Amino acid sequence: MALTGDETHRGRIDAIDGLRAVAVAAVMAFHCGIGLDGGFLGVDLFFVISGFVITRLLLAERARTPRPSLGSFWFRRAKRLLPAVLLVVGTVQAWMLLQDPPGLRPTVNAQTLAALTYTSNWYAVLGHVDYWDVAQEQAPLNHLWSLAVEEQFYLVWPVLLIGLTTWGSVQIRHPHRLLLAAAAACYLLAHLLYLPGMPERAYLGTDSRAGALLLGAVIAFRPGLFSRFSSPAVAVLGWLWCTADIDSAAFYAWQLPVAGIAAVALIDATAHQDRFRRTLTSRPLLWLGHRSYGLYLWHWPVWVYLGVNHPEWNQGTTASVAVSASVLLSAASYRLIERPVRTSPLRPRILLPALAVCSVVVAIVTTIPVAAPVDAHNDGPIVTGPNAP
């Protein structure tokens, strides 16, 4: 049964939170080495979900008023996303101050500044950080690249959407077709930018990764377009999540776009039909889905912290402790920080300066003098810019 118009445009779709739980579980399994070689594609599922949800919200607001407030939209995004990021980045900086792991702070400081400006992906690319070869103990904020891609999309997409839905006095009849063409162009760009052994530009660039976000936007404009393919999509995603190799020509030639199409088919069926809803709206999945943002933020720093402080542990023990600690930290963050801030009646003139002050304080902490960086050839932080070996 399809959703009613009111549900489609205004109601929260609980099953989408179930999909968020599945996506973050895949990413955590990949990072912890628990059997999913292609689990990093959970990020693409997140991207498609974000493109769909954000576009759906913007279309609903545009239906209510011909002049939607972009400032209000961006403020809501800040309330939703910034507090948890500041908490995680601040906690990592506190770890640096209290323990000062040898050779770690230069990398963490650079990644912190990139995280605060939502440019982590471009820092990794343009700063010549060898993203995939940096040892785990050197990059506790590596995973924030995906949040940077999404935030950059949130900054630009609302402006483009207004032009897409109404260009002057002319209504664009089939905006979803333009979005499909744009998504295809992004995937083609990723294919063209890929260099064997150096996948950073293709994998981390906003322009080369926006395809999944745009696919999500497509089904906000045209619900049901991909839902008929949802059954094979599950099998395709499962196969890719188990086998994909991020540094292979096949990944950028066809696996990445296929993963995006499979994800959008699954989300389309979940959002606009009853298919998969019973499973995805189970209480455990919904609980995890509501906290998936915090889980994603916490799991990698926790994993790095355990690797630095307990190198004697085997992978299974580290993974078990990392997952458990990440669930507890994300639950605390959701209850004490994320939900209270998101639902607070604080106006922008109060909350935004408070968030800005917190950001400045964290940035200032990065300027506290540290020991000279360890040589990159000796497992030191690879943050020395264009001249890095």
Side-chain angles (χ1 to χ4, degrees):
M1 181 179 69
L3 290 172
T4 66
D6 182 65
E7 288 171 315
T8 300
H9 292 295
R10 297 169 63 181
R12 184 180 183 89
I13 304 173
D14 287 338
I16 294 297
D17 288 317
L19 281 178
R20 288 189 175 103
V22 173
V24 77
V27 174
M28 292 174 69
F30 169 72
H31 281 157
C32 295
I34 311 175
L36 286 183
D37 290 344
F40 58 86
L41 282 170
V43 170
D44 285 72
L45 181 54
F46 272 127
F47 282 168
V48 179
I49 290 172
S50 295
F52 167 65
V53 170
I54 292 305
T55 305
R56 181 172 171 265
L57 290 172
L58 289 168
L59 290 176
E61 187 161 342
R62 183 153 182 79
R64 289 192 294 269
T65 173
R67 291 181 178 273
S69 172
L70 295 182
S72 296
F73 168 79
W74 287 320
F75 176 62
R76 291 193 299 270
R77 291 298 89 203
K79 287 178 67 177
R80 171 69 180 91
L81 302 174
L82 274 176
V85 169
L86 288 172
L87 178 62
V88 170
V89 173
T91 301
V92 171
Q93 279 294 328
W95 169 32
M96 296 298 102
L97 290 174
L98 293 172
Q99 187 177 8
D100 195 15
L104 197 66
R105 286 195 65 193
T107 297
V108 172
N109 288 346
Q111 290 190 328
T112 295
L113 295 175
L116 293 175
T117 56
Y118 283 103
T119 57
S120 297
N121 62 322
W122 292 114
Y123 162 73
V125 173
L126 302 178
H128 295 260
V129 178
D130 197 358
Y131 185 85
W132 298 105
D133 290 335
V134 174
Q136 68 168 22
E137 68 271 16
Q138 297 172 330
L141 300 176
N142 249 9
H143 64 314
L144 298 187
W145 73 269
S146 62
L147 300 186
V149 171
E150 289 198 10
E151 283 301 302
Q152 292 159 32
F153 178 79
Y154 295 158
L155 186 63
V156 175
W157 175 233
V159 179
L160 295 179
L161 185 141
I162 292 175
L164 191 64
T165 52
T166 302
W167 188 268
S169 60
V170 179
Q171 188 79 18
I172 297 178
R173 295 185 59 187
H174 301 292
H176 69 282
R177 294 180 182 176
L178 291 178
L179 291 174
L180 284 171
C186 292
Y187 284 119
L188 176 61
L189 182 62
H191 171 62
L192 296 174
L193 289 173
Y194 169 68
L195 295 175
M198 294 188 294
E200 289 79 23
R201 179 61 182 88
Y203 190 76
L204 302 175
T206 307
D207 49 0
S208 54
R209 298 310 312 277
L213 289 154
L214 293 170
L215 284 178
V218 167
I219 57 172
F221 277 99
R222 187 70 182 274
L225 185 64
F226 291 96
S227 59
R228 74 190 74 175
F229 307 113
S230 59
S231 294
V234 174
V236 169
L237 277 181
W239 173 64
L240 288 174
W241 284 9
C242 289
T243 62
D245 178 1
I246 203 165
D247 193 9
S248 69
F251 180 74
Y252 297 93
W254 62 271
Q255 290 179 356
L256 188 58
V258 167
I261 293 170
V264 80
L266 178 59
I267 294 165
D268 200 7
T270 299
H272 303 119
Q273 298 178 3
D274 277 343
R275 199 170 302 175
F276 310 121
R277 283 202 178 184
R278 178 171 297 180
T279 300
L280 292 173
T281 55
S282 65
R283 292 187 68 179
L285 281 181
L286 288 181
W287 190 92
L288 288 174
H290 292 157
R291 293 151 185 82
S292 59
Y293 180 53
L295 275 170
Y296 184 83
L297 289 177
W298 284 107
H299 83 279
W300 184 244
V302 168
W303 175 266
V304 172
Y305 174 85
L306 293 175
V308 170
N309 288 279
H310 298 283
E312 74 281 4
W313 289 1
N314 61 39
Q315 181 173 322
T317 300
T318 304
S320 299
V321 175
V323 170
S324 300
S326 299
V327 170
L328 292 174
L329 287 167
S330 63
S333 172
Y334 181 78
R335 182 178 180 84
L336 301 176
I337 303 294
E338 297 174 53
R339 188 171 59 182
V341 173
R342 187 174 71 246
T343 58
S344 74
L346 293 177
R347 295 181 180 276
R349 67 174 179 266
I350 298 175
L351 184 58
L352 290 181
L355 293 173
V357 168
C358 292
S359 299
V360 170
V361 169
V362 173
I364 290 174
V365 171
T366 68
T367 66
I368 297 175
V370 296
V374 178
D375 190 318
H377 288 296
N378 295 315
D379 290 331
I382 306 176
V383 294
T384 52
N387 296 321

